[in-house]
Amino acid sequence: MAAISSIQTLTPSQIRRSRHRNPINDNRAITYAVSFTTLIRSPAPAKPSLLKSTTNSSLCLHPAGCYRNPFEAAIKSHQSGPYPAIPGHGSIQKSKGVLGRRLTNTSFKAGALAFNSEAGTTPRCVVLDIEGTTTPISYVTDVLFPYARDNVRMHLEETYDTADTKDDIKLLRSQVENDLQNGVVGAVAVPSDDAGKEEVIAALVINVEEMIKADRKITSLKQLQGHIWRTGFHKNELKGVVYDDVPKALERWHASGVKVYIYSSGSRLAQRLIFGYTNHGDLRKYLCGFFDTAVGNKRETKSYIEISESLGVDKPSEILFLTDVFQEALAAKAAGLEVIISVRPENGPLPDDHGFDTIESFTEIPF
């Protein structure tokens, strides 16, 4: 068995600068430093996946073909216990400065996680965020959101009596009722069906436009958006966009036995559309399944616990999660997952001393 090469300690001069979307409404701040000791390659025992989603690859049906880590990884955190906020950590900064570590793919030996190609060490599963990780933020904000907003009225009018739209309206009514009780700005009451189709649609359009404007991560909105986008993709009015480094990474992971999943606040339907109609073709053949807000909010630790239990791994640390959102990284790390933060050109700043490994391209991930 080939032991992993020693971990390289980065000097301050090697520290890279990055930007990250400014997170909101988070009172937690945890800084982690992660390192791995000797790992070996060993086939995992067959264990059925509990993920309730359509799979597109036979890879998902053969977990025994994936790699696993039979030893506990040495996870050293700056903060342990019930994850209180770290005194002096400070708020999110607008500065581009980042004191976290960066991965490199130089001979697969450098980098904080120090995955080693000769040792064959890889996580069993990779879970990917979309916006700011696999796909430019501008594609979501400047293409998908406006398309849904501009077509919501037409979509509701044309599909009002279909089962999908009836379900969408039911969910939206329930959400609006909660919003009105909680005093959410922009929420207006949706009349009953007795008021007539036009009155119902008019109220729904107002609410949906406000929800999109506020970029709310709620199931009722995401489900409706997915149905609107489905029409756009099928009409070739929309095409999914992923970074150029993403398809090669997905193909590489698929070939090496790593199972890849998507976790996004967008609906599973929307996720399948984005990866099924991309500028690089249909990438769903490399994906094993999709998670959305039905599993939980992406900034809550329990969501990642649910995911790790669904994927059937022996330990949460056998899952690598890639995201561009600091609070999501904290939540996943608290659940025991390994985490890398994606730093893309459009992403906003990270907080100083965030403590996570960062990459600017999937080509920097050394497995």
Side-chain angles (χ1 to χ4, degrees), residues 32-329:
Y32 292 90
V34 182
S35 62
F36 278 75
T37 54
T38 302
L39 306 177
I40 66 170
R41 174 182 179 183
S42 175
K47 179 180 291 186
S49 172
L50 303 179
L51 178 62
K52 296 180 180 179
S53 66
T54 301
T55 59
N56 297 286
S57 168
S58 60
L59 179 64
C60 303
L61 303 179
H62 301 283
C66 298
Y67 298 106
R68 70 184 290 265
N69 168 14
F71 301 115
E72 291 288 344
I75 301 176
K76 302 178 181 179
S77 63
H78 290 306
Q79 189 74 26
S80 59
Y83 307 107
I86 296 177
H89 184 277
S91 59
I92 304 303
Q93 304 295 319
K94 293 185 178 180
S95 168
K96 300 178 183 178
V98 172
L99 299 181
R101 301 156 299 179
R102 279 184 42 78
L103 298 177
T104 73
N105 60 353
T106 306
S107 301
F108 294 132
K109 294 181 181 179
L113 293 183
F115 289 110
N116 186 281
S117 61
E118 294 182 359
T121 301
T122 64
R124 289 185 61 187
C125 303
V126 173
V127 177
L128 301 172
D129 170 52
I130 295 179
E131 185 181 357
T133 301
T134 66
T135 299
I137 293 175
S138 60
Y139 170 71
V140 178
T141 59
D142 300 342
V143 177
L144 290 184
F145 284 177
Y147 186 90
R149 182 193 62 227
D150 296 342
N151 288 277
V152 61
R153 182 181 295 276
M154 181 177 66
H155 173 80
L156 291 173
E157 289 176 346
E158 293 180 351
T159 65
Y160 190 79
D161 294 320
T162 66
D164 280 347
T165 297
K166 286 182 179 179
D167 188 42
D168 291 343
I169 292 174
K170 180 180 179 180
L171 284 177
L172 286 167
R173 270 203 178 102
S174 177
Q175 182 64 56
V176 171
E177 289 175 0
N178 289 335
D179 290 347
L180 291 171
Q181 292 176 1
N182 295 322
V184 175
V185 176
V188 299
V190 179
S192 65
D193 292 337
D194 295 337
K197 173 180 174 179
E198 293 187 1
E199 292 295 325
V200 172
I201 290 177
L204 289 172
V205 169
I206 293 173
N207 283 289
V208 170
E209 288 179 345
E210 288 297 324
M211 291 174 180
I212 294 175
K213 183 179 179 181
D215 189 20
R216 298 183 65 185
K217 314 296 186 183
I218 49 179
T219 301
S220 58
L221 173 63
K222 297 305 179 180
Q223 179 172 298
L224 174 64
Q225 285 177 321
H227 290 146
I228 297 173
W229 293 331
R230 178 175 59 191
T231 300
F233 279 103
H234 289 173
K235 289 183 176 180
N236 291 322
E237 295 175 351
L238 290 173
K239 181 176 287 293
V241 175
V242 297
Y243 291 109
D244 291 340
D245 54 274
V246 172
K248 292 182 179 179
L250 294 179
E251 182 178 7
R252 184 175 70 251
W253 294 335
H254 182 272
S256 65
V258 177
K259 296 187 291 184
V260 183
Y261 300 84
I262 304 299
Y263 180 29
S264 172
S265 57
S267 67
R268 289 187 296 172
L269 169 60
Q271 297 173 36
R272 292 194 296 270
L273 291 168
I274 290 173
F275 287 95
Y277 297 83
T278 80
N279 50 328
H280 291 275
D282 189 347
L283 301 178
R284 289 173 296 182
K285 59 187 175 182
Y286 302 126
L287 303 174
C288 287
F290 305 85
F291 293 98
D292 60 12
T293 52
V295 79
N297 188 290
K298 294 185 69 182
R299 300 188 181 198
E300 295 180 357
T301 297
K302 63 182 181 180
S303 303
Y304 300 91
I305 294 175
E306 178 66 24
I307 288 176
S308 65
E309 292 177 349
S310 297
L311 296 186
V313 295
D314 293 328
K315 299 185 295 292
S317 59
E318 294 176 333
I319 303 172
L320 173 64
F321 177 55
L322 280 83
T323 181
D324 68 314
V325 180
F326 176 58
Q327 281 80 6
E328 294 177 7

